[in-house]
Amino acid sequence: MLVWRYLEEVLASLAISVTVLMVVANVILRYGFGFVVPWSEELAVVCFIWAVYFGISSCYKHRMHMGVDVLVILLPERFQSPFKILSLLFLIAVNGGMAHLSYQYTMLSNKVTPVMGMSYFAINSVLVLSFGLMLLHSFIFLYQEIAKMRGQSWAGCEEKAS
């Protein structure tokens, strides 16, 4: 399941690679040959949007987003896991709500881009994918925290030591 393990990273890398390639190619064509590819700017923007949202999901998966854990640290150790579980339940609600709102927003996408004629549905669908992936990761984190609280571990999904 190597593809699943690095899904967000692969998709974000592909998207940012296409972005850089389009921008560099357009600059070379503009200043070297005096013409531009009209759709390259739109494609670069779309790929950049996809790279950002898959990057957000990847950072969430690897717990790289900043968080304020001063309250957790101040709690006695026996209350830290229950507090983390409450926090994860809140994140499940937020990510689930955002995935739902993103889905509704994407379903209302009926415009197309001016040059490529690309549907905004394709552009906005990354919102549903990224928040859906973050929701999935939140459930995995919750399961890990409950297993940790019970003194068990979940093979392949243990937290990495920093």
Side-chain angles (χ1 to χ4, degrees), residues 17-156:
S17 296
V18 171
T19 301
V20 170
L21 182 67
M22 287 292 100
V23 171
V24 169
N26 216 23
V27 167
I28 291 170
L29 289 173
R30 176 180 294 139
Y31 293 110
F33 301 101
F35 70 95
V36 296
V37 179
W39 48 265
S40 67
E41 185 178 334
E42 272 185 17
L43 182 60
V45 168
V46 169
C47 288
F48 185 73
I49 291 167
W50 276 67
V52 166
Y53 279 97
F54 281 125
I56 290 169
S57 180
S58 174
C59 287
Y60 186 81
K61 174 173 68 175
H62 295 290
R63 300 176 188 237
M64 294 174 65
H65 288 295
M66 293 183 65
V68 180
D69 60 351
V70 69
L71 290 176
V72 177
I73 292 171
L74 291 175
L75 289 173
E77 195 165 322
R78 66 181 184 165
F79 293 120
Q80 289 181 4
S81 275
F83 188 82
K84 287 179 185 176
I85 288 172
L86 286 174
S87 174
L88 286 167
L89 290 171
F90 174 73
L91 288 171
I92 286 170
V94 168
N95 287 324
M98 290 302 293
H100 176 71
L101 290 173
S102 298
Y103 174 78
Q104 289 179 332
Y105 179 70
T106 301
M107 288 297 124
L108 295 174
S109 303
N110 56 6
K111 294 182 182 178
V112 295
T113 60
V115 178
M116 291 191 324
M118 181 181 205
S119 170
Y120 275 90
F121 179 87
I123 299 168
N124 296 336
S125 62
V126 73
L127 297 169
V128 180
L129 292 172
S130 65
F131 284 114
L133 286 168
M134 287 191 288
L135 178 62
L136 176 65
H137 297 311
S138 294
F139 278 113
I140 291 170
F141 296 156
L142 179 64
Y143 186 86
Q144 288 173 341
E145 194 61 39
I146 291 171
K148 187 173 111 181
M149 204 165 107
R150 292 182 175 175
Q152 303 166 346
S153 68
W154 184 20

